[in-house]
Amino acid sequence: MGKLTIGCFSSLVGSMSLDFAVKLSAAAIEKGHKVDFWVSGNGTMLSIKGQRAFKDYSALMKPVQELMGKGLTITACEACAEARGYNKENTMEGFKRHSMDWYLASAFNADRLLHIGGE
Amino acid sequence: MSTTKLGFIVQRPPYKSENPKLALTHAISSQSVEVYLNDGDIVTADVAFIGDGVLNCLKNQKAMEKYALSSTETHIKNSLLLDLNVMVCKEDLDRLGLSENDIVMDAEEFGAEVTTKVVPFSEITKMMEEVNHLLFF
């Protein structure tokens, strides 16, 4: 099985790119692949806990938590998060926070890197 | 010991979105990635500005004065200081009526030894073919 590194820089609300990236992660994990998921820029919005699911907005906290339970490694850019007021205290349990070199280190031995840019 | 090569392609203009700056900060982070890797393993970063992305390279940006932000220009100079391979598409500079005189070509004041390379797009595509992974910003 392979390793997929996904980087997504788009916001949770206002873009469907994170929805796509999470669904892709789920499909890859379902097939037995390892997935490292990096969020940076506005994508760090995904890391906040307490997201409320409304039908008119993307709500990814539950699927992300389920995927973490299946082995997804998901990490937010710490500086991007802090700049937006997303601190350690309001980060979803299990969601890691690192500097940008974590993403590049994950790419080091990834079979594929899928980078999904920001807005 | 092995090397993974990453290519950062910057297509978007500066300050309209966060993307160009994130491209540079991620590329610069290649210099500290070893903390996660085994001895001798490295990640290299080539940065290429194409399309409207070449506007990121304009000299004398006033980001600090106007927005109290570090400029993309400063990030390019830091990239040069760290010996990253920074390329700018010549055809796109020509299209915008720009030349080497208009863009950041060096960072001598920072102590950088490498310079920006203005290259034809064919050279950028060659880099894109040679790297392990491409990241478009």
Coordinates of all heavy atoms in Angstrom, one line a residue, chain A residues 6-12 18 21-22 25 35-51 59-69 71-82 86-99 102:
Chain A
I6 N -1.6 14.8 1.4 CA -2.5 15.8 0.9 C -2.3 17.1 1.6 O -2.3 17.2 2.9 CB -3.9 15.4 1.1 CG1 -4.2 14.1 0.3 CG2 -4.9 16.5 0.6 CD1 -5.6 13.5 0.5
G7 N -2.1 18.2 0.9 CA -2.0 19.5 1.5 C -3.2 20.3 1.0 O -3.4 20.4 -0.2
C8 N -3.9 20.9 1.9 CA -5.1 21.7 1.5 C -5.0 23.1 2.2 O -4.8 23.2 3.4 CB -6.4 21.0 1.8 SG -7.8 21.8 0.9
F9 N -5.1 24.1 1.4 CA -5.0 25.5 1.9 C -6.3 26.3 1.8 O -6.3 27.5 2.1 CB -3.9 26.2 1.0 CG -2.5 25.8 1.3 CD1 -2.2 24.4 1.3 CD2 -1.5 26.7 1.5 CE1 -0.9 24.0 1.5 CE2 -0.2 26.3 1.7 CZ 0.1 24.9 1.7
S10 N -7.4 25.6 1.4 CA -8.7 26.3 1.3 C -9.5 26.2 2.5 O -9.3 25.3 3.3 CB -9.5 25.6 0.1 OG -8.7 25.6 -1.0
S11 N -10.4 27.2 2.7 CA -11.1 27.3 4.0 C -12.2 26.3 4.1 O -12.7 25.8 3.1 CB -11.7 28.7 4.2 OG -12.5 29.0 3.1
L12 N -12.6 26.0 5.3 CA -13.7 25.0 5.5 C -15.0 25.5 5.0 O -15.7 24.8 4.3 CB -13.8 24.8 7.1 CG -15.0 24.0 7.5 CD1 -15.0 22.6 7.0 CD2 -15.1 24.0 9.1
L18 N -11.8 21.5 0.7 CA -11.5 20.7 1.9 C -12.4 19.5 1.9 O -12.0 18.4 2.3 CB -11.7 21.5 3.2 CG -10.5 22.2 3.8 CD1 -10.8 23.0 5.0 CD2 -9.4 21.2 4.1
A21 N -10.9 17.0 -0.3 CA -9.7 16.4 0.2 C -10.0 15.4 1.3 O -9.4 14.4 1.4 CB -8.8 17.5 0.8
V22 N -11.0 15.7 2.1 CA -11.4 14.8 3.2 C -12.0 13.5 2.6 O -11.7 12.4 3.0 CB -12.4 15.4 4.2 CG1 -13.0 14.4 5.1 CG2 -11.7 16.5 5.0
S25 N -9.3 11.5 1.2 CA -8.5 10.8 2.3 C -9.3 9.5 2.7 O -8.7 8.5 2.9 CB -8.4 11.7 3.5 OG -7.7 12.9 3.1
V35 N -2.5 8.0 4.8 CA -2.7 9.4 4.4 C -2.2 10.3 5.5 O -2.6 10.2 6.6 CB -4.2 9.7 4.1 CG1 -4.4 11.1 3.7 CG2 -4.7 8.7 3.0
D36 N -1.3 11.3 5.0 CA -0.9 12.4 5.8 C -1.7 13.6 5.3 O -1.6 13.9 4.0 CB 0.6 12.7 5.8 CG 1.4 11.8 6.7 OD1 0.8 11.0 7.5 OD2 2.6 11.9 6.7
F37 N -2.3 14.4 6.1 CA -3.1 15.5 5.6 C -2.6 16.8 6.3 O -2.5 16.8 7.5 CB -4.6 15.2 6.1 CG -5.7 16.0 5.4 CD1 -6.7 15.4 4.8 CD2 -5.6 17.4 5.3 CE1 -7.7 16.1 4.1 CE2 -6.6 18.1 4.6 CZ -7.7 17.5 4.1
W38 N -2.3 17.7 5.5 CA -1.7 19.0 6.0 C -2.7 20.1 5.6 O -3.1 20.2 4.5 CB -0.4 19.2 5.3 CG 0.2 20.6 5.5 CD1 0.3 21.6 4.6 CD2 0.9 21.1 6.7 NE1 0.9 22.7 5.2 CE2 1.3 22.4 6.4 CE3 1.1 20.6 8.0 CZ2 2.0 23.2 7.4 CZ3 1.8 21.4 8.9 CH2 2.2 22.7 8.6
V39 N -3.0 20.9 6.6 CA -3.8 22.1 6.3 C -3.0 23.4 6.7 O -2.3 23.4 7.7 CB -5.2 22.2 7.0 CG1 -6.1 21.1 6.4 CG2 -5.1 22.0 8.5
S40 N -3.0 24.3 5.8 CA -2.3 25.6 6.0 C -3.1 26.7 5.5 O -4.2 26.5 4.9 CB -1.0 25.5 5.2 OG -0.1 26.5 5.6
G41 N -2.7 27.9 5.8 CA -3.5 29.1 5.4 C -4.9 29.0 6.0 O -5.1 28.6 7.1
N42 N -5.9 29.3 5.2 CA -7.3 29.3 5.6 C -7.7 27.8 5.9 O -8.7 27.6 6.6 CB -8.2 29.9 4.6 CG -8.1 31.4 4.6 OD1 -7.7 32.0 5.6 ND2 -8.6 32.0 3.5
G43 N -7.0 26.9 5.4 CA -7.4 25.5 5.7 C -7.3 25.1 7.1 O -7.9 24.1 7.6
T44 N -6.6 25.9 7.9 CA -6.4 25.6 9.3 C -7.8 25.7 10.1 O -7.9 25.2 11.2 CB -5.4 26.5 10.0 OG1 -5.7 27.8 9.8 CG2 -4.0 26.2 9.5
M45 N -8.7 26.3 9.4 CA -10.1 26.4 10.0 C -10.6 25.0 10.3 O -11.4 24.8 11.2 CB -11.0 27.1 9.0 CG -12.4 27.5 9.6 SD -13.4 28.2 8.3 CE -12.6 29.7 7.9
L46 N -10.2 24.0 9.6 CA -10.6 22.6 9.8 C -10.2 22.1 11.1 O -10.9 21.2 11.7 CB -10.0 21.7 8.7 CG -10.4 20.2 8.7 CD1 -11.9 20.1 8.4 CD2 -9.6 19.5 7.6
S47 N -9.2 22.7 11.8 CA -8.7 22.1 13.0 C -9.5 22.5 14.2 O -9.3 22.0 15.3 CB -7.2 22.6 13.2 OG -7.2 24.0 13.4
I48 N -10.4 23.5 14.1 CA -11.1 24.0 15.3 C -12.1 23.1 15.8 O -12.9 22.5 15.0 CB -11.8 25.3 14.9 CG1 -10.9 26.3 14.3 CG2 -12.4 26.0 16.2 CD1 -11.6 27.5 13.8
K49 N -12.2 22.9 17.1 CA -13.2 22.1 17.6 C -14.5 22.8 17.8 O -14.5 24.1 17.8 CB -12.7 21.4 18.9 CG -12.6 22.4 20.1 CD -12.1 21.6 21.3 CE -11.8 22.5 22.5 NZ -11.2 21.8 23.6
G50 N -15.6 22.1 18.0 CA -16.9 22.8 18.3 C -17.5 23.3 17.0 O -18.4 24.1 17.1
Q51 N -17.1 22.7 15.9 CA -17.8 23.1 14.6 C -19.3 22.6 14.7 O -19.5 21.5 15.1 CB -17.1 22.5 13.4 CG -15.7 22.9 13.2 CD -15.0 22.0 12.1 OE1 -15.6 21.5 11.2 NE2 -13.7 21.9 12.2
A59 N -19.5 20.8 6.9 CA -19.2 20.4 8.3 C -18.4 19.1 8.3 O -18.9 18.1 8.0 CB -20.5 20.2 9.0
L60 N -17.1 19.3 8.6 CA -16.2 18.2 8.4 C -15.6 17.6 9.7 O -14.8 16.7 9.6 CB -15.0 18.6 7.4 CG -15.5 18.9 6.0 CD1 -14.3 19.5 5.2 CD2 -16.0 17.7 5.3
M61 N -16.0 18.2 10.8 CA -15.4 17.7 12.1 C -15.7 16.2 12.3 O -14.7 15.5 12.6 CB -16.0 18.5 13.3 CG -15.2 18.3 14.5 SD -15.6 19.4 15.9 CE -17.0 18.5 16.5
K62 N -16.9 15.8 12.1 CA -17.2 14.4 12.3 C -16.5 13.4 11.4 O -15.8 12.5 11.9 CB -18.8 14.2 12.2 CG -19.2 12.9 12.8 CD -20.7 12.8 12.8 CE -21.2 11.4 13.1 NZ -22.5 11.1 12.6
P63 N -16.5 13.7 10.1 CA -15.8 12.8 9.2 C -14.3 12.8 9.5 O -13.6 11.7 9.4 CB -16.0 13.3 7.8 CG -16.8 14.5 7.9 CD -17.4 14.6 9.3
V64 N -13.7 14.0 9.9 CA -12.3 14.0 10.2 C -12.0 13.2 11.4 O -11.0 12.4 11.5 CB -11.8 15.5 10.4 CG1 -10.5 15.5 11.1 CG2 -11.7 16.2 9.0
Q65 N -12.9 13.3 12.4 CA -12.7 12.5 13.7 C -12.8 11.0 13.4 O -12.0 10.2 13.9 CB -13.7 12.9 14.7 CG -13.4 14.3 15.3 CD -14.5 14.8 16.3 OE1 -15.7 14.5 16.0 NE2 -14.1 15.5 17.3
E66 N -13.7 10.6 12.5 CA -13.8 9.2 12.1 C -12.6 8.7 11.4 O -12.1 7.6 11.6 CB -15.1 9.0 11.3 CG -16.4 9.1 12.0 CD -17.6 9.1 11.2 OE1 -17.5 9.1 9.9 OE2 -18.7 9.2 11.7
L67 N -12.1 9.6 10.5 CA -10.8 9.2 9.8 C -9.6 9.1 10.7 O -8.8 8.3 10.5 CB -10.6 10.2 8.6 CG -11.6 10.1 7.5 CD1 -11.3 11.2 6.5 CD2 -11.4 8.8 6.8
M68 N -9.6 10.0 11.7 CA -8.4 9.9 12.6 C -8.5 8.6 13.4 O -7.5 8.0 13.6 CB -8.5 11.1 13.6 CG -8.0 12.4 13.0 SD -7.6 13.7 14.2 CE -9.3 14.3 14.6
G69 N -9.7 8.1 13.6 CA -9.9 6.9 14.3 C -9.5 5.7 13.4 O -9.2 4.6 13.9
G71 N -6.8 6.0 11.4 CA -5.4 6.1 11.1 C -5.0 7.4 10.4 O -3.8 7.5 10.1
L72 N -5.9 8.3 10.0 CA -5.5 9.5 9.4 C -4.6 10.3 10.3 O -4.9 10.6 11.4 CB -6.7 10.3 9.0 CG -6.4 11.7 8.4 CD1 -5.9 11.6 7.0 CD2 -7.7 12.6 8.4
T73 N -3.5 10.8 9.7 CA -2.6 11.8 10.4 C -3.0 13.1 9.9 O -2.8 13.3 8.7 CB -1.1 11.4 10.2 OG1 -0.9 10.1 10.7 CG2 -0.3 12.4 11.0
I74 N -3.4 14.0 10.7 CA -3.8 15.3 10.2 C -3.2 16.4 11.0 O -3.1 16.3 12.3 CB -5.4 15.5 10.1 CG1 -5.8 16.7 9.4 CG2 -6.0 15.3 11.5 CD1 -7.2 16.7 8.9
T75 N -2.6 17.4 10.3 CA -1.7 18.4 11.0 C -2.0 19.8 10.4 O -2.2 19.9 9.2 CB -0.3 18.1 10.8 OG1 0.0 16.7 11.3 CG2 0.6 19.0 11.5
A76 N -2.1 20.7 11.3 CA -2.3 22.1 10.9 C -1.0 22.9 11.0 O -0.2 22.6 12.0 CB -3.4 22.7 11.8
C77 N -0.9 23.8 10.1 CA 0.3 24.8 10.3 C 0.1 25.6 11.5 O -0.9 26.4 11.6 CB 0.3 25.6 9.0 SG 1.5 27.0 9.2
E78 N 1.0 25.5 12.4 CA 0.8 26.2 13.7 C 0.8 27.7 13.6 O -0.1 28.4 14.2 CB 1.9 25.8 14.7 CG 1.7 26.3 16.1 CD 2.7 25.6 17.0 OE1 3.8 25.2 16.6 OE2 2.4 25.5 18.2
A79 N 1.7 28.3 12.7 CA 1.7 29.7 12.6 C 0.4 30.2 11.9 O -0.1 31.2 12.3 CB 2.9 30.1 11.8
C80 N 0.0 29.5 10.9 CA -1.2 29.9 10.2 C -2.4 29.9 11.1 O -3.3 30.7 11.1 CB -1.5 29.0 9.0 SG -0.2 29.0 7.7
A81 N -2.5 28.9 12.0 CA -3.6 28.7 12.9 C -3.5 29.8 14.0 O -4.5 30.5 14.2 CB -3.5 27.3 13.6
E82 N -2.4 30.0 14.5 CA -2.2 31.1 15.6 C -2.6 32.5 15.0 O -3.2 33.3 15.7 CB -0.8 31.1 16.1 CG -0.5 29.8 17.0 CD -1.1 29.9 18.4 OE1 -1.4 31.0 18.9 OE2 -1.4 28.8 18.9
Y86 N -6.7 30.5 16.1 CA -6.9 29.1 16.4 C -5.8 28.6 17.2 O -4.7 28.3 16.7 CB -7.0 28.3 15.1 CG -7.9 28.8 14.0 CD1 -7.7 28.5 12.7 CD2 -9.0 29.7 14.3 CE1 -8.5 29.0 11.7 CE2 -9.8 30.1 13.3 CZ -9.6 29.8 12.0 OH -10.4 30.3 11.0
N87 N -6.0 28.5 18.5 CA -4.9 28.1 19.4 C -5.0 26.6 19.8 O -6.0 25.9 19.5 CB -4.8 29.0 20.6 CG -6.1 29.3 21.2 OD1 -6.8 28.3 21.5 ND2 -6.5 30.5 21.4
K88 N -4.1 26.2 20.7 CA -4.1 24.8 21.1 C -5.4 24.4 21.8 O -5.9 23.3 21.7 CB -2.9 24.6 22.0 CG -2.3 23.2 22.1 CD -1.0 23.2 22.9 CE -0.6 21.7 23.0 NZ 0.7 21.6 23.8
E89 N -5.9 25.4 22.6 CA -7.1 25.1 23.4 C -8.3 24.9 22.6 O -9.2 24.1 23.0 CB -7.3 26.3 24.4 CG -6.3 26.3 25.6 CD -4.9 26.7 25.1 OE1 -4.7 27.5 24.3 OE2 -4.0 26.0 25.6
N90 N -8.4 25.5 21.4 CA -9.6 25.3 20.6 C -9.3 24.4 19.4 O -10.1 24.5 18.4 CB -10.3 26.6 20.2 CG -9.4 27.5 19.4 OD1 -8.4 27.1 18.9 ND2 -9.8 28.8 19.3
T91 N -8.3 23.6 19.5 CA -8.0 22.6 18.4 C -8.6 21.3 18.7 O -8.6 20.8 19.9 CB -6.5 22.5 18.3 OG1 -5.9 23.7 17.9 CG2 -6.1 21.5 17.2
M92 N -9.2 20.7 17.7 CA -9.8 19.4 17.8 C -8.8 18.4 18.4 O -7.7 18.4 18.0 CB -10.2 19.0 16.4 CG -11.3 17.9 16.3 SD -11.4 17.4 14.6 CE -11.9 18.9 13.7
E93 N -9.3 17.5 19.3 CA -8.4 16.5 19.9 C -7.9 15.6 18.8 O -8.7 15.1 17.9 CB -9.2 15.7 20.9 CG -8.3 14.8 21.7 CD -9.1 14.0 22.8 OE1 -10.3 14.3 23.0 OE2 -8.6 13.0 23.2
G94 N -6.6 15.3 18.8 CA -6.0 14.4 17.8 C -5.4 15.2 16.6 O -4.7 14.6 15.8
F95 N -5.8 16.4 16.5 CA -5.4 17.2 15.3 C -4.0 17.8 15.7 O -3.9 18.5 16.7 CB -6.3 18.4 15.1 CG -6.5 18.8 13.7 CD1 -7.7 18.6 13.0 CD2 -5.5 19.4 13.0 CE1 -7.9 18.9 11.7 CE2 -5.7 19.7 11.6 CZ -6.9 19.5 11.0
K96 N -3.0 17.4 15.0 CA -1.6 17.9 15.4 C -1.4 19.3 14.8 O -2.0 19.8 13.9 CB -0.6 17.0 14.8 CG -0.7 15.5 15.3 CD 0.4 14.7 14.5 CE 0.1 13.2 14.7 NZ 0.1 12.7 16.1
R97 N -0.4 20.0 15.4 CA 0.0 21.3 15.0 C 1.6 21.3 14.9 O 2.3 21.0 15.8 CB -0.4 22.4 16.0 CG -1.9 22.7 16.0 CD -2.4 23.2 17.3 NE -1.6 24.2 17.9 CZ -1.9 25.5 17.8 NH1 -3.0 25.9 17.2 NH2 -1.2 26.4 18.4
H98 N 2.0 21.7 13.7 CA 3.5 21.7 13.5 C 3.8 22.9 12.6 O 3.0 23.5 12.0 CB 4.0 20.4 12.9 CG 4.1 19.3 13.8 ND1 4.9 19.3 14.9 CD2 3.4 18.1 13.8 CE1 4.7 18.1 15.6 NE2 3.8 17.4 14.9
S99 N 5.1 23.1 12.4 CA 5.6 24.1 11.5 C 5.6 23.5 10.1 O 5.4 22.3 9.9 CB 7.0 24.6 11.9 OG 7.9 23.6 12.1
W102 N 6.9 20.1 8.5 CA 6.3 18.8 8.7 C 5.7 18.3 7.4 O 5.8 17.2 7.0 CB 5.2 18.9 9.8 CG 4.5 17.6 10.1 CD1 4.8 16.7 11.0 CD2 3.3 17.0 9.3 NE1 3.9 15.6 11.0 CE2 3.1 15.8 10.0 CE3 2.6 17.5 8.3 CZ2 2.0 15.0 9.5 CZ3 1.5 16.6 7.8 CH2 1.3 15.4 8.4

